[in-house]
Amino acid sequence: MVKPLTRSQFVSAVAEAMGADRKTATSALDAIATIVAREVAAGGAVTLPGLGRVVCKDRPERQVRNPATNEIITKPADRHVKITVAKSLKDLANT
């Protein structure tokens, strides 16, 4: 299995691809992360072309089981983040 890129390695790769310095690449990545977080926190969705879509979904109140005690409890409604991978990226991974 291939090791995942660290943040530092990712910033270096982005800087090289952009033909810019690391500071510019770090600023660009931080700006993207901030925008995605803000939109998802507001309940919206963000599509990242070629990568996928990040969306915030509402989950209704539901019954769940505590595996330690087998007790059925009611879990309140909440929200979760879902990431859907783009078909083009899936196709690249399967070649």
Side-chain angles (χ1 to χ4, degrees):
M1 183 170 182
V2 179
K3 285 185 169 183
L5 286 177
T6 64
R7 178 180 168 85
S8 178
Q9 291 169 330
F10 189 63
V11 167
S12 295
V14 169
E16 185 178 321
M18 289 174 52
D21 60 354
R22 287 179 47 89
K23 185 176 181 179
T24 304
T26 301
S27 296
L29 288 173
D30 289 343
I32 291 169
T34 301
I35 292 167
V36 170
R38 183 179 62 227
E39 289 299 316
V40 170
V46 177
T47 300
L48 301 168
L51 294 178
R53 182 180 170 138
V54 183
V55 63
C56 184
K57 296 263 189 173
D58 291 324
R59 281 194 286 205
E61 181 179 273
R62 61 198 182 280
Q63 301 291 317
V64 296
R65 183 181 62 85
N66 181 338
T69 63
N70 282 332
E71 177 187 6
I72 302 294
I73 57 174
T74 301
K75 186 170 182 184
D78 63 351
R79 295 173 17 175
H80 72 281
V81 177
K82 181 177 180 185
I83 299 175
T84 306
V85 179
K87 184 181 182 318
S88 59
L89 185 56
K90 286 181 192 176
D91 292 344
L92 280 174
N94 290 315
T95 59

